[in-house]
Amino acid sequence: MEINGLPLHALVVHGAVVLTPLAALAAIVYAVPGRWRDWLRWPVLVGALIAVGAVWTAYLSGEDLVDGNPYGGPLAELLETHEDRADIFRWAATGFAAAALAATGLHRREGAVRIVLGVVLAALAVLTLVYAILTGDAGAQIAWYGVGD
């Protein structure tokens, strides 16, 4: 999995760690009642769907990268942390995208349905945001291991 000799993982992770937090932050704003809700529903949905695609592509290309490049010593421990966090991140992002789809589809609903959808969407957005940061940080520690020592 390469593009012009560069591992696909190194390219696509940037989309995952930039687009996912942007979509999550937009979803949190969407979940708060206000006049911007109508305007934000489509950007939240599109952002969440693109983000989940980037996250899954990063996950699968990362698996391929690890299979082709054995990591040993201290990098193996860093890699295990990164993989553990990526496992949670991909499912959190998937749940977030599903919640964004449900919130968009049921956008006109009022009352309890609207409140529950907003809370679920915001909770999954926060979880996804946290794991985007944690997973990205663990990956950066691998990529920059030993630099500046």
Side-chain angles (χ1 to χ4, degrees), residues 1 8-9 12-13 55-71 79-80 82-84 86-87 90:
M1 290 190 176
L8 179 61
H9 186 71
V12 78
V13 295
V55 169
W56 274 92
T57 304
Y59 178 81
L60 295 171
S61 63
E63 291 288 313
D64 185 67
L65 182 63
V66 169
D67 290 344
N69 299 294
Y71 291 88
L79 179 63
E80 186 174 331
H82 181 60
E83 287 178 324
D84 290 345
D87 279 339
R90 70 183 167 133

Side-chain angles (χ1 to χ4, degrees), residues 24-40:
L25 291 171
I28 292 166
V29 173
Y30 171 85
V32 176
R35 58 184 174 183
W36 54 81
R37 260 181 100 96
D38 283 342
W39 184 84
L40 270 179

Side-chain angles (χ1 to χ4, degrees), residues 28-130:
I28 292 166
V29 173
Y30 171 85
V32 176
R35 58 184 174 183
W36 54 81
R37 260 181 100 96
D38 283 342
W39 184 84
L40 270 179
R41 69 181 161 158
W42 294 111
V44 167
L45 176 61
V46 171
L49 292 175
I50 292 171
V52 77
V55 169
W56 274 92
T57 304
Y59 178 81
L60 295 171
S61 63
E63 291 288 313
D64 185 67
L65 182 63
V66 169
D67 290 344
N69 299 294
Y71 291 88
L75 284 178
E77 189 175 316
L78 291 172
L79 179 63
E80 186 174 331
T81 299
H82 181 60
E83 287 178 324
D84 290 345
R85 291 175 179 173
D87 279 339
I88 297 169
F89 182 33
R90 70 183 167 133
W91 292 113
T94 301
F96 168 56
L101 186 61
T104 301
L106 299 171
H107 176 74
R108 297 279 180 218
R109 293 286 179 103
E110 296 292 333
V113 172
R114 189 173 200 158
I115 292 168
V116 169
L117 281 172
V119 169
V120 169
L121 180 63
L124 287 168
V126 169
L127 179 67
T128 302
L129 180 61
V130 167

